[in-house]
Amino acid sequence: MHAEVRSIKYPVSEYTRGLPCETTSYSSKQYACLKLYRATGPGQLQCIQQTNWSAFPARLPGQPFFCPLSNKSTAQAIASQWNVQRSGAGFVVEFVVSTSFLSDIPMDELAGDGGYEYRIPAQKMDAFNESLIGPIKMVNAYF
């Protein structure tokens, strides 16, 4: 499924699938944006910290996509169940991305009320990181 993304104020959710931001000011510039979430393990969180909370790491071999989520509760479930079981800890990070970047990014609707998963190709991670508005924030930790 691919949705059209437009740089508009409310209701952004008609064109993007995520928690809409009103046009946001950051560093004295105006952006149309979308708040997304990602469940991470300790390794990926450490890589994010090493960038001073400004970028996600490149994808590893065998990881063709970076898949942020529109639904915080889905990210919380993944972090608290899958990441904790696999690595002893799970975290949810929240970040804001410019809607103009997402206009060409495919997304999948998740089952139930799971929201949407964007499928950002690994080769677009640099452009994705450049489209982040403000810092990445850790919003949940599970052990």
Side-chain angles (χ1 to χ4, degrees):
M1 176 178 189
H2 188 284
E4 180 181 356
V5 179
R6 298 182 186 174
S7 296
I8 60 171
K9 291 187 181 181
Y10 280 102
V12 174
S13 58
E14 291 298 315
Y15 303 101
T16 59
R17 305 292 191 231
L19 184 60
C21 302
E22 291 190 37
T23 301
T24 299
S25 294
Y26 188 78
S27 298
S28 73
K29 292 184 178 180
Q30 294 286 318
Y31 298 90
C33 59
L34 188 66
K35 187 180 291 185
L36 297 175
Y37 303 91
R38 172 90 176 153
T40 71
Q44 189 174 62
L45 187 68
Q46 184 177 18
C47 291
I48 295 167
Q49 288 174 311
Q50 290 172 350
T51 70
N52 201 29
W53 300 93
S54 65
F56 287 91
R59 306 307 294 150
L60 298 173
Q63 296 178 332
F65 296 100
F66 176 76
C67 299
L69 302 165
S70 65
N71 187 317
K72 184 177 181 180
S73 63
T74 301
Q76 290 170 324
I78 293 167
S80 66
Q81 296 168 21
W82 193 84
N83 289 111
V84 169
Q85 183 179 16
R86 183 167 185 231
S87 57
F91 306 92
V92 175
V93 295
E94 169 186 287
F95 50 95
V96 177
V97 63
S98 170
T99 56
S100 62
F101 173 81
L102 296 172
S103 63
D104 295 325
I105 301 298
M107 62 183 184
D108 294 323
E109 186 171 3
L110 302 175
D113 192 21
Y116 293 82
E117 174 183 74
Y118 286 87
R119 297 177 51 83
I120 299 163
Q123 62 270 26
K124 289 191 173 189
M125 282 303 295
D126 287 341
F128 172 76
N129 283 324
E130 290 173 12
S131 76
L132 293 176
I133 301 168
I136 299 166
K137 299 174 185 173
M138 183 179 63
V139 294
N140 296 107
Y142 302 95
F143 302 95

